[in-house]
Structures are given as C-alpha cells and as structure tokens.
C-alpha cells in the first residue's frame, strides 16, 4: 500500500513538473468558458457575418445549446487532448529504462499499473469536473430558471467513457515500447466502437452511446435506464483492461 | 560463504545462445571483476541475477535464496547500477533517493540520513539542480548512491566506468573501493586496468562461459610466465638470432613484427643469460631488451584466444 501511494505521488509530480497537467487543465478550463459563451453569442456572431439582404431566423439560444457545446467539445477536443497527454504513460518509461531501478528496488509490478491508472484518472477527473462546473455556473447565469433533465447522469456517463478510454490506453501503452503504439491501439478501439454502430443489435451494448446520447438524455428523448447495457459493458471494459495490463506487464521484459 | 551462486545457467534469444552452461560463485566481501568483451553476455547475466530476464535453464542463488523471474524478493539484498542509469529528469538527486528509499520501505529518518551520507560520498551534496541537467559522470555517481541506499549485501555494477573520462572513472573506482568490506561488489567491465586497480576476484566470460575465475593473485601466479621482448635493428639480425640452438630450445617464441620477438620461459634469469651470451657470440646489438610484466591484459588475450 505504501509503495502504491509513493508511486502515485511520483506520477502526479511528473504530470505537474512536465507541464502535462497544466496543459490538460488549461484546455478544459478554456472549454468550460467557451461552451456557454459560444451557445449564447453564436446567433449574434452569425448575424453579423450575414449580408444585410438575407434574413434568417435563428431560434433564441437555450441552456440545451450550451450543454450541446459541452458534450461536443469534451468528446472532440477534451478527450483527444487527454489521450495524447496520457499516451506515453508506460512506453515513455520503457523507452528511457527508468522503471528498471524502481522494479529492482522492490516496487511490485502491479503497483506500477495501478498507480499509473490512478494518477491519470485523477487528472481526468479534476479537469473534466472543473470544466463541468464552469459551464454549469455560466449556463445558470445566462439562462436563469431554465433546467435540463438528467444532467448529472448524462455527464457521469461521459466521464466513465473517458475512464474507459484511459484504461484501454493503458493496455496499449503497456504493450508497446513507444507511445504511438498506445495511441494507435486506442484509436483502433474507438474505430471498432464506431463500426459496431452499424449493427443495430450490438449497438444496444455499445459503450459509445455513453458519449453520444447525452443530449437525448437532457432533452428527455431517452431515459437513462435505456443505457444500462452500455454502462455495464463500459465498466467491464475498465476492469478487464486494468487486469490485462497487469498480466501483460508481469510478462514484460523491461 | 558465497553471496552469489550461479549453476549451469543458460540463456538463448531465439537461436542465439548467449550464456552457455555458466557456473561460478562470488564470495562474501569480495570485489569481483566480471570481465568479457562487448557482447559476451555480461549484461544478460546481470539482468538474470536481478530477475529482469528469464533464464532458459539453470539456477541463481543470492544470499542462499533462489532468484525468481518477475516477482523478485531477492532484490532486497541487491543494489544495481545499470550501464547507462536513467532517472526521472524532473527530480533532484535528493528527491530521487527519497523516492527509492520510500519504495524500498526505509523509514523517513533512515532515508534522510542515508541520502545525506551517500550524496556526500558521491560528491553530489548541495546540488539542488534537476537530474536532467546532470552530466554522465554525475548520473553514474547518483546511480551508485541509489544502489547503496538500502545498504545492500551485493552491489552489481554494469560497466560503471566504460562511458566516462579518466577523471570520472577514477571517481567511480574510488567510491567502489570505499565500500570494500561492507558490501560485496560485482563489477562488469572490459577495461582491464580498472579491474587490476580494485578487484580481488575475477571471472573471465567468453562465448557464454566462464573460462577462468579465481582470486587475482592465484590467477596471476598460475598464469605467471616470464617473457621478454627483444627488438632488433633489422630482420636479418633477428633471423640469425632465432636460428641459434639455445634460442630454438626455449618454450615459446612469438614474432610480433619484422624486427621483434617475444620469448617466454619459466626461468627468467637463465633465459636472459642465454639470450645475452648468444647475442655476444653472434655479435648482435639489440635496440631494445625488455622484461614484460604479467598483466591482466596479456592474460585476457591469452585465455580468449
């Protein structure tokens, strides 16, 4: 247990001193502000660019637009940046040979995996929920009194989807000696999720739904209970990924 | 008592047999020079001792406990200095030692005391710069400090001096000499003068086997053979000299170039007398007549032939 805390602390110091945390956190804060602002002012901006003769009617923006921006930006920009930042978590240590000293000092191999997962998940948690809180505060300020349905559930789903990608990245990074390996592995995993959308039957279990049905949950078109199966698959993938990363790393020659 | 015992150890990578039925042991308190050419399998052997590589066959025992691949409890006895030690560049030397100490499970006070002591020993005290800015020699010295942190019974150094300049090499050897008696040291290298300076036991690795091992004195005594180098002013003189009967009867004659020859015998004094009287008889004046000391280098070249 002690070595787990020590090594997790080392991971957090690493993210801090190599500015990775700074980059990730800044981007998520920026997204947090951008989401409600874009939703609020987009119609005005569009209007100002339109030639005067053309008159288009845009519906007044609502809080739903602000959340739509949130889910779009976090999935398209936020997750993308997070994956790139975490991509070298194991392979960078392989490349440099820095783990040799730690392992020969008696650090259990599974602790390495668990600490890496904990530290990256902590960073993701902090960045994600900070972004959420900022968007939430501004949305409440711009659209007083307006409410959306199932906000907590919907954001929690996307949060879990992010953890799942981190855990899949962990396998990739443990398997390959350079960070592109981990990135490609995760990219491949996402590509498979998109392919599975083609089959309606399998899509009912597709964890990708946790990241692209969020607006339907907010607008009431979908009930959270309908996403029970994807949620189950998502949690299973997280647990299996961590276990297989430990097993792979046990056999890995460093 | 032996700190390390290796029996019938073999390792192959695919079809490539790197270590072939190797057996040797390292007695407690010694500084063991593990000598071999580049690529002879020194690092592979060390990594197997540390449980970082899986042996194809054979057993390794450290302090009487068997080494298992993967989960290596025996590493608590061992301090390891890799050939090119890599640390976390964003930490300072002290922070790194603290991390190592915490992972090993030392108490806070021990970590602090040992770190200060060791950083003093390796000359990195009062250095608050990050490791990323360190020179190679400094990293090597920090490597020794981290390896000695938990007071290991066995210190394994993989070519600690190979990449360093003469001053850096001297510093490392001096540090290793100071731990003599407290810690057993295995020290791999291909720089034979380093071995001669600090090791008391050696093992020579060649083609995956230990072809010679024992104490330095034993080996030098056993292989002791006096030899003498003669350089002539021209090859005609040399050939005339070599054709003389007394010279032809010597145990070994080795011509190195057109004008020189190395002669060997168990009885140096008699050989020298014969050489000189033969030269007077033939009226030859050599350019050089030199008695060669038995060096580890000559010995090494002889046994790996």
């Amino acid at each position: 247990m002690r070595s787990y805390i020590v090594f997790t602390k080392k991971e957090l110091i690493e993210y801090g001193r190599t500015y990775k945390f700074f980059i990730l956190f800044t981007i998520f804060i920026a997204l947090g502000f951008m989401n409600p602002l874009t939703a609020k002012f987009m119609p005005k901006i569009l209007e100002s660019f339109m030639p005067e003769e053309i008159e288009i009617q845009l519906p007044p923006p609502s809080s739903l637009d602000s959340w739509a921006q949130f889910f779009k930006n976090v999935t398209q920009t936020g997750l993308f940046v997070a994956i790139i930042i975490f991509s070298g978590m194991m392979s960078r240590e392989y490349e440099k040979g820095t783990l040799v000293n730690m392992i020969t000092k008696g650090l259990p191999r599974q602790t390495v995996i668990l600490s890496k997962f904990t530290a990256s998940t902590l960073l993701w948690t902090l960045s994600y929920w900070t972004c959420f809180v900022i968007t939430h505060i501004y949305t409440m300020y711009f659209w007083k009194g307006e409410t959306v349905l199932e906000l907590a559930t919907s954001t929690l789903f996307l949060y879990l989807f992010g953890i799942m990608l981190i855990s899949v990245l962990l396998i990739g990074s443990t398997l390959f000696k350079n960070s592109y390996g981990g990135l490609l592995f995760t990219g491949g995993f996402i590509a498979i999720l998109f392919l599975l959308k083609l089959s309606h039957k399998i899509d009912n279990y597709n964890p990708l739904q946790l990241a692209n049905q969020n607006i339907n949950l907010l607008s009431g078109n979908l009930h959270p209970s309908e996403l029970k199966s994807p949620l189950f698959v998502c949690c299973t993938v997280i647990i299996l990924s961590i276990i297989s990363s430990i097993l792979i790393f046990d056999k890995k020659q460093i | 008592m032996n700190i390390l015992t290796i029996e019938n150890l073999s390792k192959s990578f695919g079809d490539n047999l790197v270590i072939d039925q190797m057996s040797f042991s390292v007695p407690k308190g010694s500084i063991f020079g593990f000598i071999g050419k580049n690529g002879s399998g020194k690092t592979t052997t060390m990594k197997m001792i540390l449980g970082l590589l899986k042996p194809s066959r054979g057993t390794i025992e450290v302090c009487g406990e068997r080494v298992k691949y993967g989960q290596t409890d025996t590493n608590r006895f061992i301090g390891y200095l890799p050939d090119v030690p890599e640390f976390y560049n964003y930490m300072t030397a002290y922070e790194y030692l603290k991390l190592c100490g915490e992972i090993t499970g030392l108490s806070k006070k021990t970590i602090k005391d040992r770190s200060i002591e060791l950083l003093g020993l390796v000359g990195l005290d009062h250095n608050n710069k990050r490791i990323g800015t360190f020179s190679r020699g400094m990293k090597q010295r920090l490597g020794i400090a981290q390896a000695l942190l938990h007071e290991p019974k066995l210190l394994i150094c993989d070519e600690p001096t190979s990449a360093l300049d003469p001053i850096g090499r001297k510093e490392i050897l001096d540090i290793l000499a100071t731990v003599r008696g407290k810690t057993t040291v295995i020290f791999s290298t291909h720089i034979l003068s380093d071995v001669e300076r600090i090791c008391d036991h050696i093992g020579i690795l060649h083609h995956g086997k230990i072809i010679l091992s024992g104490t330095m004195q034993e080996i030098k005594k056993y292989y002791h053979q006096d030899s003498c180098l003669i350089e002539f002013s021209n090859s005609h003189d040399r050939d005339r000299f070599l054709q003389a009967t007394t010279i032809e009867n010597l145990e070994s004659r080795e011509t190195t170039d057109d004008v020189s020859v190395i002669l060997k015998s168990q009885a140096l004094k008699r050989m020298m007398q014969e050489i000189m009287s033969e030269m007077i008889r033939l009226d030859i004046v050599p350019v050089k007549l030199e008695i060669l000391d038995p060096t580890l280098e000559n010995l090494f070249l002889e046994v790996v032939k």
Side-chain angles (χ1 to χ4, degrees):
Chain A
M1 193 60 199
R2 187 176 165 202
S3 55
Y4 168 72
I5 295 169
V6 169
F7 203 69
T8 309
K9 208 168 84 192
K10 172 251 145 193
E11 280 295 300
L12 294 175
I13 292 175
E14 177 168 338
Y15 282 124
R17 292 204 185 158
T18 53
Y19 302 106
K20 286 183 174 165
F21 175 64
F22 175 76
I23 296 167
L24 188 70
F25 199 59
T26 315
I27 286 174
F28 272 86
I29 288 181
L31 290 181
F33 284 112
M34 263 170 59
N35 299 328
L37 290 176
T38 333
K40 179 84 181 162
F41 297 110
M42 191 51 88
K44 287 215 174 92
I45 295 167
L46 279 179
E47 229 166 68
S48 69
F49 280 113
M50 288 292 170
E52 275 177 32
E53 313 85 69
I54 300 172
E55 188 95 351
I56 47 162
Q57 284 290 314
L58 286 166
S62 71
S63 60
L64 204 59
D65 292 315
S66 173
W67 288 113
Q69 286 290 329
F70 174 84
F71 288 110
K72 188 186 110 224
N73 286 333
V74 168
T75 44
Q76 286 176 7
T77 314
L79 264 176
F80 194 70
V81 174
I83 295 296
I84 287 178
I85 284 195
F86 297 139
S87 64
M89 54 183 157
M90 289 298 287
S91 28
R92 254 170 46 92
E93 301 240 21
Y94 291 153
E95 259 172 38
K96 294 202 66 191
T98 37
L99 276 178
V100 175
N101 251 342
M102 300 287 112
I103 300 288
T104 54
K105 282 264 174 305
L107 181 70
R109 285 182 176 231
Q110 61 181 35
T111 306
V112 177
I113 298 289
L114 293 176
S115 291
K116 296 263 174 198
F117 178 72
T118 311
S120 46
T121 305
L122 262 174
L123 252 61
W124 160 246
T125 308
L126 202 66
S127 310
Y128 180 82
W129 292 110
T130 307
C131 177
F132 169 79
V133 167
I134 295 172
T135 304
H136 196 42
I137 290 171
Y138 276 83
T139 308
M140 284 199 306
Y141 172 75
F142 285 137
W143 295 277
K144 281 190 190 73
E146 268 188 47
T147 51
V148 287
L149 298 162
E150 306 291 355
L151 184 59
T153 322
S154 185
T155 42
L156 192 69
F157 281 173
L158 180 56
Y159 169 68
L160 283 173
F161 183 79
I163 293 180
M164 182 182 73
L165 287 191
I166 291 174
S167 70
V168 170
L169 181 65
L170 185 63
I171 307 185
S173 193
T174 311
L175 269 175
F176 300 104
K177 289 221 164 182
N178 71 55
S179 40
Y180 297 111
L183 278 178
L184 282 176
F185 187 83
T186 316
F189 176 78
I190 297 170
I192 290 172
L193 293 186
F194 273 100
L195 281 178
L196 292 180
K197 273 176 77 170
L198 298 176
S199 155
H200 196 68
K201 226 178 195 171
I202 302 174
D203 199 39
N204 288 333
Y205 296 92
N206 195 341
L208 191 64
Q209 295 214 39
L210 302 179
N212 61 17
Q213 293 289 7
N214 313 73
I215 288 301
N216 286 335
L217 288 170
L218 298 189
S219 57
N221 292 337
L222 194 73
H223 193 263
S225 64
E226 290 175 69
L227 292 181
K228 235 191 275 171
S229 309
L231 185 65
F232 176 75
V233 173
C234 173
C235 294
T236 315
V237 170
I238 293 174
I239 292 164
L240 287 181
S241 299
I242 295 171
I243 293 173
S244 35
S245 301
I246 290 175
L247 294 177
I248 292 166
F249 187 50
D250 261 350
K251 298 269 170 293
K252 194 95 188 170
Q253 295 192 342
I254 52 169
Chain B
M1 199 196 118
N2 289 331
I3 282 271
L4 172 74
T5 312
I6 290 180
E7 271 171 25
N8 295 323
L9 187 72
S10 296
K11 172 76 188 172
S12 43
F13 294 104
D15 289 338
N16 188 8
L17 188 65
V18 181
I19 303 293
D20 181 15
Q21 298 271 320
M22 174 201 280
S23 298
F24 72 96
S25 55
V26 177
K28 194 177 173 187
S30 57
I31 297 191
F32 184 90
F34 195 37
I35 310 160
K37 290 194 261 186
N38 284 336
S40 58
K42 299 186 297 279
T43 304
T44 309
T45 310
M46 294 188 154
K47 287 199 161 171
M48 285 194 281
I49 299 173
L50 288 156
L52 295 172
L53 277 177
K54 193 174 185 162
S56 307
R57 257 192 315 279
T59 57
I60 303 171
E61 274 183 14
V62 177
C63 296
E65 279 181 41
R66 198 159 159 189
V67 176
K68 278 183 242 124
Y69 169 68
Q71 307 296 335
T72 38
D73 293 336
T74 42
N75 282 349
R76 70 182 187 276
F77 301 122
I78 306 176
Y80 174 52
L81 173 65
D83 48 354
V84 186
E86 278 299 342
F87 311 102
Y88 298 113
N89 283 338
Y90 48 83
M91 288 184 172
T92 65
Y94 180 75
E95 284 172 329
Y96 191 77
L97 290 187
K98 192 165 160 248
L99 173 69
C100 292
E102 284 171 339
I103 282 172
T104 318
L106 301 177
S107 74
K108 266 207 175 96
K109 190 175 176 308
T110 320
I111 293 174
K112 203 176 165 208
D113 295 348
R114 288 287 293 161
S115 302
I116 290 169
E117 185 194 330
L118 285 168
L119 288 175
L121 175 74
V122 300
L124 288 173
D125 39 355
H126 313 299
N127 191 325
N128 290 324
K129 291 199 182 110
R130 292 197 179 167
I131 299 170
T133 65
F134 281 18
S135 70
R136 212 156 173 177
M138 288 162 91
K139 281 189 186 172
Q140 212 81 11
R141 281 183 278 146
L142 174 61
I144 293 187
Q146 61 80 23
L148 289 172
L149 188 66
H150 59 297
E151 302 189 293
K153 294 202 167 114
L154 176 63
L155 175 65
I156 297 180
C157 304
D158 191 359
E159 307 222 350
T161 54
S162 303
L164 302 181
D165 59 26
I167 297 169
R169 266 171 57 195
K170 185 180 177 314
E171 285 169 345
I172 298 289
L173 293 176
D174 288 347
I175 295 166
L176 290 181
T178 59
V179 302
R180 187 195 294 272
K182 281 174 266 177
T183 305
T184 311
V185 182
I186 298 181
F187 162 49
S188 85
T189 188
H190 57 257
I191 303 173
L192 295 160
S193 59
D194 290 355
V195 177
E196 268 180 301
R197 269 178 59 185
I198 65 161
C199 295
D200 40 39
H201 286 66
I202 59 167
I204 297 179
L205 181 64
H206 189 59
H207 289 314
K209 280 186 165 131
I210 294 281
I211 50 169
L212 186 62
S213 75
T215 68
M216 200 75 162
Q217 286 160 326
E218 263 171 29
I219 286 173
K220 273 197 174 177
K221 210 166 130 194
Y222 183 70
Y223 275 81
H224 190 79
Q225 221 184 12
D226 287 308
S227 47
C228 151
L229 169 84
I230 312 168
E231 197 180 314
F232 297 89
S233 51
N234 55 56
S235 57
H236 177 67
D237 276 0
R238 191 195 63 177
D239 295 340
R240 263 192 330 136
F241 177 76
L242 288 177
Q243 277 153 17
T245 19
T246 37
I247 305 299
E248 269 189 321
N249 288 341
L250 284 172
E251 281 161 43
S252 140
R253 307 179 321 165
E254 203 179 304
T255 44
T256 46
D257 53 50
D258 280 350
V259 293
S260 343
V261 64
I262 293 173
L263 301 171
K264 287 180 182 171
S265 164
Q266 297 287 5
L268 178 71
K269 201 176 163 194
R270 250 198 70 195
M271 177 174 74
M272 290 306 282
Q273 282 170 346
E274 279 169 0
I275 290 171
M276 286 190 281
S277 60
E278 206 57 52
M279 281 186 174
I280 293 169
R281 194 177 68 78
L282 294 169
D283 194 21
I284 296 171
V285 179
V287 176
K288 192 171 166 186
L289 178 58
E290 189 188 350
I291 297 170
L292 298 173
D293 276 333
T295 60
L296 196 55
E297 189 166 333
N298 292 336
L299 186 79
F300 179 71
L301 292 173
E302 210 162 289
V303 294
V304 301
K305 236 189 269 174

